[in-house]
Structure formats: structure tokens, C-alpha cells
Amino acid sequence: QNNNTDLMRTLEVYYGSNFNLKETAQKLFLHYNSIQYRLKKISEITDLDITSSDGVFTMMVGMKLKHYSK
């Protein structure tokens, strides 16, 4: 559960930072390589290219639905 929360937060900040890894790492107070690892893990779990337009759309819809379901 905690890992999923960290992964979702990482993805939200990554998208909010316009796909900028360095900025994402700074905002989350993590190492650049940690961000790369988390994004790779998200791609593996979801089986999506989270940087492609289809992947971004799918993830954004999923995040919005999760937000509204609370």
C-alpha cells in the first residue's frame, strides 16, 4: 500500500513537472536515479509506456478516477 502511494505521488509530480526528471527529484527530495527506478516500476506494473500520449492519458484518467472515488 505504501509503495503504491509513493509510486502514484511520483507519477503525479513527474507529470506536473512536465516529464522533467531533475525537477521531480528535487520536488520529492529524492535522487534522480530513484525517480528513474520508480517510473520504470510503474511502467512494469501497468504495462504502459507512461511517457507516450496513450500512456499519459490512461494514467491521468486513472489518477482522476482514484481522486474522485475518495
Side-chain angles (χ1 to χ4, degrees), residues 2-17:
N2 191 32
N3 286 340
N4 285 339
T5 302
D6 290 344
L7 293 176
M8 289 302 297
R9 178 73 181 134
T10 300
L11 191 61
E12 289 170 355
V13 173
Y14 178 64
Y15 285 162
S17 299

Side-chain angles (χ1 to χ4, degrees), residues 4 7-8 11 15 38-51 55-56 58-59:
N4 285 339
L7 293 176
M8 289 302 297
L11 191 61
Y15 285 162
R38 287 182 179 191
L39 295 174
K40 182 180 176 190
K41 190 74 169 168
I42 293 167
S43 289
E44 289 172 358
I45 291 170
T46 61
D47 197 29
L48 290 172
D49 176 1
I50 60 171
T51 60
V56 171
T58 301
M59 294 305 292

Side-chain angles (χ1 to χ4, degrees), residues 53-69:
S53 58
D54 287 340
V56 171
F57 177 76
T58 301
M59 294 305 292
M60 293 295 285
V61 168
M63 287 189 288
K64 291 289 184 188
L65 289 173
K66 184 177 186 300
H67 174 74
Y68 289 118
S69 69

